[in-house]
Amino acid sequence: MSEKSNARESIVSTAARLFFSQGYHATGLNQIIKESSTPKGSLYHYFPQGKEELAHECIQKANEQILQTFEKTFAAHDNTGDAIQRFIHDLAHETEAAGFTGFLPFSFWAAVETSCISQQLRIACQGVFADWQNVIKKHLILDGVGEEKARETALLIISLMEGALIISLTNQDKQPLLTAAEYLSVVTKNAKQIQ
Amino acid sequence: MSEKSNARESIVSTAARLFFSQGYHATGLNQIIKESSTPKGSLYHYFPQGKEELAHECIQKANEQILQTFEKTFAAHDNTGDAIQRFIHDLAHETEAAGFTGFLPFSFWAAVETSCISQQLRIACQGVFADWQNVIKKHLILDGVGEEKARETALLIISLMEGALIISLTNQDKQPLLTAAEYLSVVTKNAKQIQ
């Protein structure tokens, strides 16, 4: 890997860690430059539009990782209910391991913090939620759930997952995520029967 | 009402509007002073510890309003399922009426934005979620639901409500909240049967 692409990756990973742990507004470009140990010119070279463009890249990168994790988890289970339960269990354990305050690539609450400020970032986060909903919907349909029921169930899954994450982070307790995981496993398995 | 308490109330209501719409970090004390049309000394007089103390007061005030709305909604319905559905419907319509970006007293996503920064505000938000869970649990028990099932169902209700609110705000679409409302109405009514 060239030194140049190293600098770009270092900027993006540092920015993602800071944005997702301390928030968009609390993170300044100078802190990103300092903590990524890259020359000042690099950030402006790779992200000429500055903080908003960099945050957009962080959201896309985090989303790619999450979609890969979703697909890996779905591939390891023979039904969507078990896969969702495993996905949220893993999320709960990672959240706890990170001390509920550290780096959480899943914390798309950034969506809301930035949505009042930046239309570009709001739309990027909307795309993230749509991607998650689509990947879950696709697997529900493969399980034999009808299109409309699959769409609605996928929306409930991402809503409850996000809400339980927020309450787990606030309470510094993984129980809300674990309760959501058990519950969504049952809901997902029942989706086929009650459409 | 004295001029003094008017100044205090003006500071708190202005701060709440700004914190909950543009975020904690993006809101400076100078903006609060300017938009509340109060003398600079007033803010420091009433809130000598500054921004964090003021935010704490805003969280408590918003919570009082929400708890009143919960109780009013419960009083107007003869079962918890219908009351929860009405509460979330009202929230969806208010959110839409505010253009999805305006003042939202319900948006305790502030909880997470601030939880990494301020232990005091994190604990205040944890108290808010506990209050909501308790008021819902109390009404589920009045409906005849067992203690443990009531606790778990109330946790699911607040988790799904928060998550659906986040996705509605991000997508600028009330549908995620409406879907959650329909769903939670059924879940709540079934809680008595399947414990």
Side-chain angles (χ1 to χ4, degrees):
Chain A
M1 195 184 288
S2 74
E3 204 173 295
K4 277 191 179 171
S5 65
N6 262 337
R8 192 181 191 283
E9 286 196 8
S10 179
I11 290 164
V12 173
S13 65
T14 304
R17 179 172 54 80
L18 295 172
F19 286 145
F20 294 142
S21 61
Q22 63 186 26
Y24 180 74
H25 288 291
T27 303
L29 291 182
N30 284 334
Q31 189 185 9
I32 296 168
I33 291 164
K34 197 177 160 201
E35 296 201 14
S36 65
S37 306
T38 52
K40 197 163 186 166
S42 292
L43 194 150
Y44 297 101
H45 172 71
Y46 291 115
F47 302 98
Q49 290 157 56
K51 189 167 160 179
E52 191 174 350
E53 188 183 8
L54 181 52
H56 190 267
E57 173 79 8
C58 292
I59 291 169
Q60 302 301 345
K61 280 272 176 195
N63 192 33
E64 280 168 28
Q65 284 169 13
I66 292 164
L67 290 174
Q68 279 171 16
T69 307
F70 265 125
E71 289 294 5
K72 223 174 97 183
T73 311
F74 281 121
H77 294 86
D78 62 7
N79 71 78
T80 307
D82 288 342
I84 290 295
Q85 188 174 25
R86 163 59 46 202
F87 186 89
I88 302 176
H89 266 245
D90 289 348
L91 175 59
H93 294 299
E94 281 170 39
T95 305
E96 186 181 50
F100 299 103
T101 52
F103 173 49
L104 288 161
F106 299 91
S107 37
F108 273 87
W109 47 267
V112 180
E113 191 205 349
T114 57
S115 69
C116 304
I117 313 294
S118 160
Q119 180 72 354
Q120 189 203 356
L121 296 182
R122 184 189 70 73
I123 290 169
C125 293
Q126 183 171 356
V128 168
F129 289 138
D131 284 349
W132 298 0
Q133 191 177 350
N134 283 333
V135 78
I136 296 168
K137 186 181 117 181
K138 182 182 81 184
H139 285 278
L140 284 168
I141 290 172
L142 287 174
D143 282 356
V145 178
E147 171 100 19
E148 182 53 28
K149 184 74 185 172
R151 198 197 55 74
E152 189 192 291
T153 305
L155 178 60
L156 286 169
I157 289 170
I158 62 167
S159 297
L160 184 53
M161 199 167 71
E162 280 297 299
L165 176 61
I166 282 198
I167 295 175
S168 278
L169 288 170
T170 303
N171 294 3
Q172 301 199 341
D173 174 8
K174 67 183 171 185
Q175 193 56 52
L177 278 169
L178 296 182
T179 301
E182 302 306 318
Y183 189 75
L184 285 176
S185 165
V186 176
V187 165
T188 306
K189 286 172 187 169
N190 286 344
K192 199 175 162 184
Q193 278 83 54
I194 49 168
Q195 48 194 306
Chain B
M1 194 183 290
S2 74
E3 203 173 299
K4 278 190 180 173
S5 65
N6 261 338
R8 191 182 192 283
E9 287 197 8
S10 179
I11 290 166
V12 173
S13 65
T14 305
R17 178 172 55 79
L18 294 172
F19 285 145
F20 295 142
S21 62
Q22 63 187 27
Y24 181 72
H25 289 290
T27 303
L29 291 182
N30 283 335
Q31 189 185 10
I32 297 168
I33 291 163
K34 196 177 162 201
E35 297 201 14
S36 65
S37 307
T38 52
K40 198 164 186 163
S42 293
L43 194 150
Y44 297 100
H45 172 72
Y46 291 114
F47 302 97
Q49 289 157 57
K51 189 168 160 179
E52 192 174 351
E53 189 182 7
L54 181 52
H56 190 268
E57 173 79 10
C58 292
I59 291 169
Q60 302 301 346
K61 279 271 175 196
N63 192 32
E64 281 168 27
Q65 285 170 13
I66 292 165
L67 289 173
Q68 279 171 16
T69 308
F70 265 125
E71 289 295 5
K72 222 174 100 182
T73 312
F74 281 120
H77 293 86
D78 62 9
N79 70 78
T80 308
D82 287 344
I84 291 293
Q85 187 173 28
R86 165 56 50 203
F87 185 89
I88 302 177
H89 266 247
D90 289 348
L91 175 59
H93 294 299
E94 281 170 39
T95 305
E96 186 180 51
F100 299 102
T101 51
F103 174 47
L104 288 159
F106 298 92
S107 37
F108 274 87
W109 47 268
V112 180
E113 192 204 349
T114 57
S115 69
C116 303
I117 313 295
S118 161
Q119 181 72 353
Q120 189 202 358
L121 297 181
R122 182 188 72 74
I123 290 169
C125 292
Q126 183 171 356
V128 167
F129 289 137
D131 284 349
W132 297 1
Q133 190 177 351
N134 284 334
V135 79
I136 296 168
K137 186 181 116 182
K138 182 182 83 183
H139 285 278
L140 284 168
I141 290 171
L142 288 173
D143 282 357
V145 178
E147 171 99 18
E148 181 52 28
K149 184 74 185 171
R151 198 197 55 74
E152 187 191 293
T153 305
L155 178 60
L156 286 169
I157 289 170
I158 61 168
S159 296
L160 184 53
M161 201 167 72
E162 279 297 297
L165 176 60
I166 282 198
I167 296 176
S168 278
L169 288 170
T170 304
N171 294 3
Q172 301 199 340
D173 174 10
K174 67 183 171 185
Q175 193 55 51
L177 278 168
L178 296 182
T179 300
E182 301 307 317
Y183 189 74
L184 286 176
S185 165
V186 176
V187 166
T188 306
K189 287 173 187 169
N190 285 343
K192 200 174 160 183
Q193 279 84 53
I194 49 167
Q195 49 194 307

